[in-house]
Amino acid sequence: MKCVLFYHAFTSCWNNGNAHFLRGYARELHALGHEVVVFEPIDGWSRLNAIREGGSHAMEDIPALFPGIDIRRYDTSLDLERALDGADLVIVHEWNSPDLIAQIGRRRMQGGSFTLLFHDTHHRAVSAPDELAQFDLDGFDGVLAFGEVLRQIYLKLGWADRVFTWHEAADVALYHPLPQVERTDDLVWVGNWGDGERSAELNEFLVEPVAELKLRASVHGVRYSDDALRTIRSAGIRYGGWLPAHWAPVAFAGARATIHVPRGPYVALLPGIPTIRVFEALACGIPLVSAPWSDTEGLFPEGAYLSVADGAQMKHALRTVIDDPEFSAAMVATGLKVIQDRHTCRHRAEQLIDIVTDLRDSSRSARPQHDIGAVA
């Protein structure tokens, strides 16, 4: 197939946690013999912020790391007819503009022969349904939802058997253990401080345990306010700034443990959906301790990571994984196995091909039964 993918950012991962998976499954589609063309806006906020923070060199790495992927940047003069010419599969991510989403949908309704899918990787369907209502999805053949709970929301919107649970996964070509890297930190955390969605949780599960245990720790990410920087530095935590996604494996390899601190909306409104960091950590072979999060879909077996209920348990768990190498090694082995068996980007690429085949072999309409904004 000729696969045409529209994403807000592919070369940039600045505040774009989706980049790891988007790149990984594109790599695997190409490895399976498909042509892959990726369109990203030249003025996308992720890309512009990466350039502002001196990240041009990191973005320049991407074409070499993902050979065979045709990456095309566009501006307001994008010629959609040319972009979609010869496409068999078109995937449009929810971070694209409502106007672009609507235009591509109209092309499908006007006779486009490609299969058109909407890729939703955000909590707005439950936290901000008015934003989701801006998207005209009438011309789309189906929806790829990154968790079962999100799929259920689309079912209520009338998508019936045309919405599919399509979790993120690990790009194991890049994310794997690096035993040659010296472990200089007790703990590393990769994530954005953001807009207050998890400030309290980060204090309880990251800052306070590190300070009380006197761990050598580093954090990486963007959107750290002055107050946030003062907080982490007062705990003796080193702030490493923005860490391009493809550099994360080295950061994981250099520490004895990492943690998972999901954002509040995902814990409360979209249970069962982990952040990409869980897949990354397990694939890289670093012991993982998670703040409260419910694996309602059974993605990971018992023993792949430790789950804690509060800051006190976090301190105990970190002490255990740092001080008990045999226990940590067993966790790592379990985590690596479940990634290799179930959660690689190759698994998701193959699932995607099955979804497309299923849609093409069916007689389903390319329109949902209800308007996207019908259910709040």
Side-chain angles (χ1 to χ4, degrees), residues 93-99 101-102 118-120 122 124 128-138 140 154 159 371-373:
H93 190 243
E94 38 84 14
W95 273 123
N96 284 289
S97 72
D99 181 62
I101 292 169
F118 182 68
H119 186 195
D120 194 341
H122 200 268
R124 66 166 55 87
D130 55 321
E131 292 184 17
L132 187 64
Q134 298 177 40
F135 300 144
D136 178 2
L137 302 183
D138 279 357
F140 283 68
Y154 278 93
W159 285 86
D371 181 76
I372 190 69

Side-chain angles (χ1 to χ4, degrees), residues 14 47-59 242 244 247:
W14 192 98
R47 182 171 182 272
L48 294 182
N49 277 292
I51 293 172
R52 191 173 296 119
E53 291 203 11
S56 295
H57 59 296
M59 292 188 288
W242 172 46
W247 296 356

Side-chain angles (χ1 to χ4, degrees), residues 56-264:
S56 295
H57 59 296
M59 292 188 288
E60 290 168 359
D61 292 343
I62 302 307
L65 290 173
F66 298 88
I69 308 300
D70 185 356
I71 304 170
R72 304 181 188 178
R73 296 194 184 99
Y74 66 87
D75 54 22
T76 54
S77 62
L78 173 65
D79 184 341
L80 265 183
E81 183 174 353
R82 183 176 180 181
L84 297 172
D85 183 44
D88 299 293
L89 169 64
V90 178
I91 300 179
V92 185
H93 190 243
E94 38 84 14
W95 273 123
N96 284 289
S97 72
D99 181 62
L100 178 66
I101 292 169
Q103 286 187 51
I104 296 174
R106 284 195 292 272
R107 295 277 177 170
R108 174 71 177 99
M109 295 177 72
Q110 293 167 359
S113 59
F114 49 85
T115 299
L116 178 59
L117 300 176
F118 182 68
H119 186 195
D120 194 341
T121 61
H122 200 268
H123 57 68
R124 66 166 55 87
V126 287
S127 63
D130 55 321
E131 292 184 17
L132 187 64
Q134 298 177 40
F135 300 144
D136 178 2
L137 302 183
D138 279 357
F140 283 68
D141 295 288
V143 173
L144 302 170
F146 77 143
E148 176 61 22
V149 65
L150 186 58
R151 188 183 78 90
Q152 293 297 325
I153 292 169
Y154 278 93
L155 291 179
K156 294 177 182 178
L157 293 171
W159 285 86
D161 54 355
R162 295 188 298 112
V163 56
F164 305 87
T165 299
W166 198 50
H167 281 287
E168 294 179 311
D171 178 9
V172 294
L174 293 180
Y175 292 81
H176 53 77
L178 299 172
Q180 71 276 17
V181 176
E182 181 184 1
R183 293 183 176 181
T184 56
D185 276 335
D186 295 311
L187 177 74
V188 65
W189 185 67
V190 181
N192 303 331
W193 196 273
D195 48 13
E197 285 184 335
R198 57 180 167 188
S199 296
E201 292 88 344
L202 287 172
N203 276 292
E204 179 179 6
F205 294 101
L206 170 64
V207 176
E208 293 173 6
V210 167
E212 293 188 27
L213 294 173
K214 295 181 172 54
L215 300 180
R216 181 177 176 84
S218 300
V219 302
H220 301 270
V222 302
R223 298 174 69 197
Y224 280 68
S225 66
D226 290 340
D227 285 344
L229 290 174
R230 281 192 291 270
T231 296
I232 64 172
R233 285 168 177 161
S234 68
I237 300 172
R238 185 183 73 85
Y239 175 57
W242 172 46
L243 183 72
H246 56 290
W247 296 356
V250 174
F252 285 132
R256 293 174 177 81
T258 189
I259 63 172
H260 173 229
V261 186
R263 297 178 184 274

